[in-house]
Amino acid sequence: MLTADIKAQLKAYLEKLVQPIDLVASLDEGVKSRELHALLQDIAALSDKVSLRTDGHNPRRPSFGISQAGETPRVHFAGIPMGHEFTSLVLALLQVGSHPPKLDAEVIEQIRGLKGAFRFETFVSLSCHNCPEVVQALNTMAALNPEVEAVMIDGALFQAEVEARQIMAVPAIFLNGEAFGQGRTSTEEILARLDSGAAVREAEKLNQKDAFDVLVVGGGPAGSAAAIYAARKGIRTGVVAERFGGQVLDTLGIENFISVKETEGPKLAMALEQHVREYEVDIINLQRAEALVPGEAGGLTSVRLASGAVLKGRTVILATGARWREMNVPGEQRYRSKGVAYCPHCDGPLFKGKRVAVIGGGNSGVEAAIDLAGVVSHVTLIEFDHELRADAVLQKKLHSLPNVVVITSGQTTEVQGDGQRVNGLVYRNRLSGETHTLALEGIFVQIGLLPNTDWLKGTVNLSPRGEIEVDSRGQTSVPGVFAAGDATTVPFKQIIIAMGEGAKASLGAFEHLIRTSVPA
């Protein structure tokens, strides 16, 4: 099941086990059960601290649990955790075997202090790059707290359960049988929902922080670069972010980041955070900025957070990035995550054998249609313009696929459904004016990005498109407030450009500090 190279790497990891562990499998006579059995045999053969049993009683088959020797498993995998979830498996083996997780001591104590019974089920697809973070967070919690149980369920393998629970987007998290959350979710975010007093305690801590020389709002490529350049100047630097990594976390393939031939968004986001942490930067994660209050006559600028806390800086760099643009048509919000999706890599496997539409004919839309064509029965790509805007090589590939139809000059006007899930889409031909209805089960929206600047209206000058207006140094209309990345008027929204703009804004902020600190 595992290659020789992977076995060698896994064997080295398993040497870190502190306590012996059991793999308890629940199998049947199917092909997937044989595959899982082979995988577990490979793992057990790599360490004398790993034992395999096949007397499990889990009704989901194939599945297995991991426990310390002689105990009842609290970490479970329903399916074969390969693909993006193989890392989740390796970490679960180590953490159940008492190898310490890479979490702050404060977070570990918060997990251990949870009271009550928490049984989490997370439905995933093995091609989803957002799912592992959720699976790993819950597995870690289960390894640390005997009151927590975590189950990863491969939705493609347990289709009947997916249909019964009407799951149409992953990761989908259930707690004690009830819907708990959807989408990428970190350990801290889960704890904040389980521990009702955590938000208040955190806000009190943040209010006690001294003012920063440079306060960066946003933790994506632009914010990370800005923080590193500021910290290297030896000045007090802070980063506050709703989620560190930003839009990069939702990007799968990255092939145009110079000097790195190819990588994936979550890997790049992790590398960004690791680089920032090498410097004396105060990272404040999971906090959403709600208002910017400029200082008077060179005074401190304040950033008010949704939690009620207020952070202050002598200078502020706005790097809040962008989010997926929505169609804003009737039915879209009602059927969001019930057939309307925005991540083809994550949710595509849930639509296996079904009919879907992709809205948008740029690179992201055409790439989505190509990926989905290998999973679903039929793809209809609808582009508003009279021609596709994607690169020629992508268009050539798209037109070679037999189960794809391209419609140009099409304007989506309505998402239809039966009250539970999507069952159709209405579009208007912009040339003839005729209206058409497509019967389908899924709609993937890929029509670009919107800047995250709603909270800045009336404070800094914004363009008609809502982008922050900046000069050649990244300075906004407010003295001492700079901006960088996809939230600004700088053209061409690319990761590498955002990083350069972040560095430039940081140097501009440092120059501002020098000039304003000189007495008149």
Side-chain angles (χ1 to χ4, degrees):
M1 185 70 182
L2 299 177
T3 65
D5 287 344
I6 293 177
K7 285 182 180 179
Q9 294 175 29
L10 184 54
K11 181 178 178 65
Y13 281 123
L14 293 177
E15 290 175 358
K16 300 178 181 180
L17 288 173
V18 178
Q19 301 290 336
I21 60 174
D22 289 341
L23 305 178
V24 184
S26 301
L27 307 171
D28 54 23
E29 300 301 319
V31 174
K32 289 299 181 181
S33 283
R34 291 196 293 273
E35 289 180 12
L36 178 59
H37 192 202
L39 171 64
L40 298 180
Q41 285 178 316
D42 282 351
I43 295 171
L46 296 175
S47 172
D48 57 6
K49 288 187 176 179
V50 181
S51 299
L52 172 60
R53 293 165 31 205
T54 57
D55 57 352
H57 302 290
N58 196 320
R60 293 192 183 101
R61 296 170 184 259
S63 67
F64 68 100
I66 308 173
S67 68
Q68 290 195 7
E71 295 186 357
T72 301
R74 299 195 303 272
V75 175
H76 306 265
F77 292 89
I80 306 173
M82 299 300 287
H84 288 294
E85 293 299 345
F86 187 69
T87 300
S88 302
L89 169 59
V90 175
L91 290 174
L93 294 169
L94 295 178
Q95 291 169 9
V96 172
S98 295
H99 183 73
K102 291 184 178 179
L103 291 175
D104 293 339
E106 185 177 344
V107 175
I108 291 175
E109 287 307 309
Q110 190 178 2
I111 293 172
R112 287 176 170 157
L114 290 174
K115 303 298 182 184
F118 305 96
R119 186 175 190 276
F120 287 98
E121 299 167 293
T122 305
F123 287 82
V124 307
S125 65
L126 300 183
S127 61
C128 169
H129 57 285
N130 289 324
C131 296
E133 181 173 356
V134 177
V135 172
Q136 291 164 24
L138 294 173
N139 286 349
T140 300
M141 291 172 61
L144 292 172
N145 188 325
E147 301 298 323
V148 179
E149 186 175 3
V151 186
M152 183 220 80
I153 304 164
D154 178 5
L157 198 56
F158 294 90
Q159 281 280 347
E161 197 167 350
V162 166
E163 292 287 339
R165 298 205 192 190
Q166 299 183 349
I167 297 167
M168 306 192 75
V170 292
I173 313 167
F174 291 80
L175 171 59
N176 298 334
E178 300 294 329
F180 178 79
Q182 198 147 28
R184 192 182 189 96
T185 311
S186 67
T187 306
E188 291 82 358
E189 289 174 293
I190 295 169
L191 286 172
R193 293 189 59 184
L194 300 179
D195 184 354
S196 58
V200 175
R201 295 195 303 270
E202 182 65 15
E204 291 174 350
K205 286 171 53 180
L206 295 180
N207 281 330
Q208 301 302 315
K209 290 184 179 291
D210 294 332
F212 295 96
D213 292 313
V214 174
L215 174 60
V216 182
V217 184
S224 298
I228 289 170
Y229 267 72
R232 286 175 62 87
K233 295 295 184 181
I235 56 181
R236 178 170 162 74
T237 305
V239 176
V240 58
E242 189 167 358
R243 57 171 189 163
F244 203 97
Q247 187 72 17
V248 170
L249 291 169
D250 300 324
T251 305
L252 185 57
I254 299 172
E255 299 179 353
N256 57 356
F257 190 72
I258 310 306
S259 83
V260 178
K261 185 176 179 181
E262 58 181 322
T263 186
E264 296 178 350
K267 290 182 180 178
L268 179 58
M270 184 182 300
L272 290 175
E273 184 171 357
Q274 289 173 345
H275 196 174
V276 173
R277 289 188 182 279
E278 290 183 3
Y279 298 91
E280 293 186 9
V281 176
D282 189 349
I283 297 179
I284 305 163
N285 203 10
L286 307 180
Q287 296 289 335
R288 179 167 54 86
E290 198 171 63
L292 179 74
V293 183
E296 296 182 4
L300 298 174
T301 296
S302 299
V303 175
R304 189 174 72 243
L305 307 178
S307 66
V310 176
L311 299 173
K312 297 181 179 181
R314 294 175 63 196
T315 61
V316 171
I317 298 176
L318 306 172
T320 48
R323 63 190 183 277
W324 290 117
R325 184 186 297 272
E326 298 176 350
M327 296 183 293
N328 292 319
V329 300
E332 180 179 17
Q333 290 304 318
R334 181 177 183 182
Y335 293 104
R336 189 183 180 109
S337 299
K338 296 179 181 178
V340 176
Y342 300 85
C343 180
H345 302 292
C346 302
D347 302 330
L350 300 177
F351 293 83
K352 183 177 180 179
K354 297 180 179 180
R355 300 160 298 175
V356 304
V358 173
I359 312 302
N363 282 349
S364 59
V366 171
E367 287 174 350
I370 292 170
D371 289 344
L372 289 166
V375 178
V376 305
S377 65
H378 189 271
V379 179
T380 302
L381 186 146
I382 301 176
E383 163 57 30
F384 184 84
D385 204 351
H386 68 282
E387 62 181 3
L388 301 182
R389 295 167 286 109
D391 294 342
V393 65
L394 294 175
Q395 292 192 43
K396 183 177 180 180
K397 174 65 176 176
L398 180 73
H399 290 301
S400 73
L401 300 173
N403 61 336
V404 175
V405 169
V406 175
I407 297 172
T408 55
S409 299
Q411 179 182 6
T412 304
T413 58
E414 184 183 359
V415 173
Q416 296 182 331
D418 61 6
Q420 298 294 325
R421 59 181 63 192
V422 166
N423 63 16
L425 174 149
V426 181
Y427 75 92
R428 182 178 68 88
N429 185 304
R430 296 175 54 240
L431 300 180
S432 67
E434 295 178 350
T435 296
H436 304 272
T437 300
L438 296 176
L440 42 73
E441 290 79 34
I443 301 169
F444 289 83
V445 183
Q446 301 282 291
I447 55 176
L449 302 171
L450 280 175
N452 293 319
T453 57
D454 293 344
W455 65 289
L456 295 169
K457 290 178 180 178
T459 307
V460 299
N461 288 348
L462 303 177
S463 73
R465 298 178 64 178
E467 299 169 326
I468 305 169
E469 295 182 348
V470 293
D471 65 14
S472 59
R473 283 177 166 77
Q475 172 74 58
T476 71
S477 59
V478 177
V481 177
F482 295 76
D486 288 1
T488 72
T489 50
V490 171
F492 313 121
K493 312 306 184 187
Q494 298 288 317
I495 293 171
I496 197 165
I497 293 174
M499 285 185 173
E501 291 297 311
K504 183 171 69 177
S506 188
L507 295 173
F510 182 67
E511 183 181 64
H512 176 85
L513 288 171
I514 294 173
R515 292 179 180 276
T516 55
S517 64
V518 177

